[in-house]
Amino acid sequence: MSSLQDLPDDLPRPIDDGACDHLAGRAMPEIVLASTKGRDVNLGALGPGRTVIYCYPRTGVPGEALPDGWDAIPGARGCTPQACAFRDHAADLARLGAQVFGLSTQDTAYQREMAERLHLPFEILSDDRFAFTEAMRLPTFTLDGMRLIKRLTLIVRDGAIEHVFYPVFPPTSSAADVVAWLESRA
């Protein structure tokens, strides 16, 4: 079994299907999500400045097989490497004045194990009831009975979505792409 950090060379590239075209400029809704730090985060009250919210389908668990067909879904594989890339760029993002959150539809207990195992310095938010996903009409897909968010990254500034990265590929460069975008606007 390969490591959750390893990405196959032949992963299919996701295409921009327009599923996020409606997001730029939208105000963040007053939706409260549980975080891996044991607190509730109101997405409509993130505060001034920029917030990066990277949305991902699901992280794997060491020793457990990935769902059948996972690698064949464009953009599905790479959640753990993406989280590690944001962890590794945390100082750059802080220097640029951005707070960071990860977000998935997995429950908080599942996310907490991953955040602790990967030593993430930022919170992961659980949208396990799909409140944010549905309010913002985020693109999703279903596999093995799981409804999952397609990989995308939101840059929120002063309560509204300033920029959307979608599709995100490869996931390993997501954090560096965000840093470069923020630096070009600093």
Side-chain angles (χ1 to χ4, degrees), residues 16-100:
D16 187 348
D17 58 5
C20 289
D21 290 353
H22 64 286
L23 292 171
R26 287 209 41 200
M28 291 296 282
E30 294 284 329
I31 291 177
V32 176
L33 300 179
S35 93
T36 50
K37 298 287 186 194
R39 70 182 186 112
D40 292 333
V41 175
N42 183 342
L43 296 176
L46 293 172
R50 285 191 171 114
T51 301
V52 175
I53 302 173
Y54 74 93
C55 303
Y56 61 93
R58 70 182 296 276
T59 54
V61 176
E64 289 184 14
L66 295 171
D68 287 339
W70 189 249
D71 288 355
I73 299 169
R77 179 79 179 261
C79 301
T80 299
Q82 182 183 27
C84 291
F86 273 98
R87 176 198 65 204
D88 296 347
H89 284 282
D92 295 325
L93 292 158
R95 174 181 51 82
L96 292 162
Q99 67 176 329
V100 176

Side-chain angles (χ1 to χ4, degrees), residues 164-182:
V164 180
F165 289 88
Y166 177 81
V168 172
F169 191 84
T172 51
S173 69
S174 178
D177 293 344
V178 169
V179 168
W181 188 89
L182 291 172

